[in-house]
Amino acid sequence: MYIDDTIAAIATPPGIGGVGIIRVSGKDSFPIVNSLFKSAGTVPLMDRQNRTIQYGTIVDPATNKTIDEVLVLLMKGPHSYTAEDVVEIQCHGGIVPVRQILKLLVNHDVRMAEAGEFTKRAFMNGRIDLTQAEAIIDIIEAKTEDSLSLAVSQLDGTVSSFVKDVREQLIAMIAHLEVTIDYPEEDIEDVTSQEVREQLEPILKAMDELLSTANTGRLIRDGITTVIVGRPNAGKSSLMNALLRENRAIVTDIPGTTRDSIEEYMTVEGISLRLIDTAGIRDTQDTVEALGVERARDYINKADIVLCVIDGSTPLTPEEIEILTSVSGLNTIVLLNKSDVAQVVTDENIKEHGTFTAIERISAKEGEGSAVLSKWVQELVYGGRVKQDNSAMISNVRHISLVEQAKAQVEEALSSIDMGMPVDFVATDLRSAWELLGDITGDTIRESMIDELFSRFCLGK
Ligand SMILES: Nc1nc2c(c(=O)[nH]1)N(C=O)[C@@H](CNc1ccc(C(=O)N[C@@H](CCC(=O)O)C(=O)O)cc1)CN2
Ligand SMILES: Nc1nc2c(ncn2[C@@H]2O[C@H](COP(=O)(O)OP(=O)(O)OP(=O)(O)O)[C@@H](O)[C@H]2O)c(=O)[nH]1
Ligand SMILES: [K+]
């Protein structure tokens, strides 16, 4: 079994830093590191006190060569990150020491960990469930304080405890129904159906309550995409600059995305916002104009918010009318720009060319635009409600979809009862709901799905 292996990985990011950490986990991690570790005193690592830090050096036993001066952390399973014996070797934070130590470990019966394997072990060993493992990815990938605190509450078990609670109630009902199925002569069917209905209604309500947080949760977790459109000289670049000046993201380099000149990241109302200037797509990316237009269209259709910049100081041009028509019906905010000079375009002129979420006047040149964007981000994410704390929120699309499916099964069970169907039908529906919810926490999920999920982690996690 692969879980018998002892695994290792560099836990710190590649590059130069103060300290580099190599994490080792598995049943042989103590003896293996002990064979490579030299320190004052003769007590072997496995006999030293748990959760202590030991000073010494890592020495290649084959050559007796010292690789680096280190601190070694001892964490005996099951009270460790993976719930196995874990040793962390803290060396100097260069690229070479961490690699040399990892190489030495690999030469001594340690296997290089796969992406996410430490966290996968924590899951396989039952220390955390799948929602908590996913929360760890979310913590690492969080781009704003709000998305971090949402992920931390998921790690703390907000989603798990909801699922666990509902599943316990469902299994009790299923057991009850199955008794009825097994002993039909007892004639308790009607009573049971009525009881089940009474128990299912609050469950449905709780599911609805949780799902009502899904939109907000998802946007906090994943961020939103905003696309800027407008004819040349409308003021798109000026707007982009005005917005960036006020909303610089904490994280500028978003891993996993290629940042070219048309995209910027910022934080607005605690939400990570990806801002795309479609003019940039045409100018910098494609020689064939049509392709650029097609890509721009693609971005527009996927955008959460479209900012349509119109020069308010000159009459609408045919090109502006065409742009307005193409973004009509979307979540489009028309920004009548250059409000610092005399305006000729009226709100009515705009409304003649489509339906838009709002029409606002700004002067990008004078640095305006940010307040308007904040207002509409808040509207999109919180639907005009006041921003609340992130506790009991569902944010992961996988979880949302499973709760929706489980809810449909509960509704199915209720309608089976209403239609006077035999209790086995009701029991089958409830069992499906129970299984779907189990997929969320990983209690009933298939192995292939688990592998897929953990492969999304980075190496060393
Ligand atoms: N050096 C280091 N820092 C780190 C981690 C790590 O693995 N190593 N972590 C990971 O990447 C995070 C901390 N996560 C952890 C989660 C659980 C346990 C743990 O030992 N749990 C035990 C004991 C709990 C207790 O004492 O109350 C348990 O759950 O039984 C350790 C780290 C962040 N910082
Ligand atoms: N008076 C006034 N002029 C503005 C305003 N915003 C932009 N301009 C001017 O309009 C011109 C075009 O502005 P840009 O921001 O470069 O416009 P753009 O839409 O990015 O243009 P392209 O890069 O060609 O697509 C510049 O001369 C700006 O100074 C504004 O709010 N008021
Ligand atoms: K105009």
Side-chain angles (χ1 to χ4, degrees):
M1 260 302 277
Y2 92 94
I3 202 136
D4 285 341
D5 296 358
T6 295
I7 55 170
I10 298 165
T12 39
I16 294 180
V19 176
I21 301 178
I22 299 104
R23 183 156 55 172
V24 190
S25 177
K27 65 176 174 38
D28 297 325
S29 54
F30 281 42
I32 291 172
V33 175
N34 181 62
S35 71
L36 311 172
F37 180 67
K38 213 157 109 183
S39 69
T42 52
V43 184
L45 279 183
M46 38 282 191
D47 297 332
R48 296 194 190 188
Q49 208 189 327
N50 187 27
R51 292 192 166 199
T52 56
I53 301 171
Q54 308 289 328
Y55 172 84
T57 50
I58 294 292
V59 177
D60 184 343
T63 58
N64 228 11
K65 202 176 123 202
T66 299
I67 293 175
D68 196 9
E69 175 190 44
V70 297
L71 289 171
V72 164
L73 269 67
L74 305 173
M75 288 156 282
K76 292 200 174 98
H79 297 302
S80 71
Y81 184 72
T82 55
E84 301 170 339
D85 287 352
V86 171
V87 182
E88 287 183 3
I89 303 168
Q90 308 195 347
C91 61
H92 293 106
I95 301 157
V96 180
V98 283
R99 285 209 193 141
Q100 287 259 97
I101 292 169
L102 181 63
K103 202 170 130 203
L104 188 63
L105 287 163
V106 169
N107 288 338
H108 288 82
D109 281 334
V110 172
R111 176 168 63 72
M112 284 235 264
E114 290 160 21
E117 198 170 359
F118 290 94
T119 310
K120 186 174 178 179
R121 287 189 172 196
F123 167 70
M124 301 291 250
N125 292 323
R127 189 180 68 79
I128 54 172
D129 69 22
L130 217 48
T131 68
Q132 292 169 310
E134 288 170 304
I136 292 167
I137 313 187
D138 290 354
I139 288 171
I140 296 172
E141 294 183 350
K143 298 177 195 80
T144 66
E145 286 173 31
D146 288 6
S147 56
L148 174 62
S149 75
L150 185 60
V152 168
S153 73
Q154 189 176 311
L155 179 62
D156 200 37
T158 47
V159 177
S160 314
S161 59
F162 172 86
V163 167
K164 196 164 154 257
D165 199 48
V166 174
R167 287 186 93 222
E168 268 167 17
Q169 294 179 54
L170 287 174
I171 204 73
M173 280 184 251
I174 294 165
H176 195 159
L177 288 168
E178 277 169 1
V179 170
T180 319
I181 295 162
D182 294 342
Y183 303 98
E185 67 279 6
E186 297 293 315
D187 197 29
I188 49 178
E189 204 160 296
D190 290 349
V191 181
T192 309
S193 296
Q194 192 47 38
E195 273 173 24
V196 167
R197 186 208 306 277
E198 274 163 21
Q199 282 175 283
L200 285 182
E201 272 155 8
I203 288 182
L204 259 190
K205 194 163 160 257
M207 284 176 159
D208 276 332
E209 263 166 34
L210 188 66
L211 286 172
S212 75
T213 67
N215 190 48
T216 303
R218 186 182 58 80
L219 294 171
I220 294 174
R221 176 180 183 267
D222 300 336
I224 67 181
T225 300
T226 297
V227 166
I228 303 184
V229 296
R231 70 156 165 77
N233 269 322
K236 297 180 295 300
S237 307
S238 307
L239 175 66
M240 197 96 153
N241 289 338
L243 296 178
L244 277 170
R245 201 161 40 239
E246 284 190 40
N247 305 292
R248 273 273 166 229
I250 312 172
V251 191
T252 47
D253 261 338
I254 310 287
T257 55
T258 46
R259 260 173 56 117
D260 49 35
S261 57
I262 59 150
E263 285 188 32
E264 292 290 348
Y265 284 87
M266 53 184 81
T267 301
V268 177
E269 296 297 321
I271 304 295
S272 163
L273 193 139
R274 177 182 173 217
L275 190 65
I276 299 166
D277 183 353
T278 55
I281 299 169
R282 234 171 292 185
D283 295 341
T284 60
Q285 294 294 304
D286 297 296
T287 43
V288 185
E289 174 86 353
L291 203 62
V293 172
E294 207 174 285
R295 279 186 57 206
R297 175 115 296 276
D298 228 45
Y299 279 119
I300 290 164
N301 287 334
K302 285 188 197 137
D304 298 295
I305 297 175
V306 177
L307 297 178
C308 179
V309 186
I310 299 285
D311 184 344
S313 68
T314 61
L316 287 179
T317 65
E319 190 179 1
E320 280 176 320
I321 290 170
E322 198 190 312
I323 292 170
L324 281 169
T325 314
S326 72
V327 296
S328 162
L330 303 172
N331 187 21
T332 299
I333 316 300
V334 178
L335 297 174
L336 288 174
N337 190 31
K338 313 196 183 180
S339 67
D340 53 298
V341 294
Q343 298 288 287
V344 300
V345 181
T346 65
D347 287 19
E348 280 61 41
N349 293 155
I350 299 295
K351 286 180 194 156
E352 274 169 37
H353 302 288
T355 50
F356 308 100
T357 303
I359 302 168
E360 307 268 6
R361 279 179 203 275
I362 59 158
S363 167
K365 192 173 147 192
E366 291 183 355
E368 293 172 11
S370 202
V372 169
L373 184 60
S374 291
K375 181 167 102 186
W376 291 104
V377 165
Q378 207 156 345
E379 178 65 33
L380 175 71
V381 178
Y382 298 101
R385 282 171 286 125
V386 279
K387 190 171 154 180
Q388 42 177 318
D389 79 287
N390 294 334
S391 46
M393 258 196 205
I394 190 165
S395 62
N396 182 310
V397 177
R398 192 183 75 85
H399 305 166
I400 294 167
S401 153
L402 286 164
V403 173
E404 279 169 348
Q405 292 174 59
K407 183 189 154 197
Q409 291 298 324
V410 171
E411 282 168 340
E412 194 71 33
L414 277 170
S415 75
S416 296
I417 294 172
D418 289 341
M419 287 169 11
M421 306 272 267
V423 286
D424 355 5
F425 283 83
V426 181
T428 306
D429 294 333
L430 296 186
R431 190 165 282 282
S432 304
W434 180 81
E435 275 174 12
L436 287 160
L437 291 173
D439 281 358
I440 295 177
T441 44
D443 288 298
T444 55
I445 198 166
R446 286 183 306 280
E447 179 124 13
S448 61
M449 286 175 74
I450 290 172
D451 288 344
E452 200 278 320
L453 220 143
F454 283 98
S455 68
R456 290 177 39 222
F457 277 72
C458 57
L459 281 171
K461 196 65 211 180

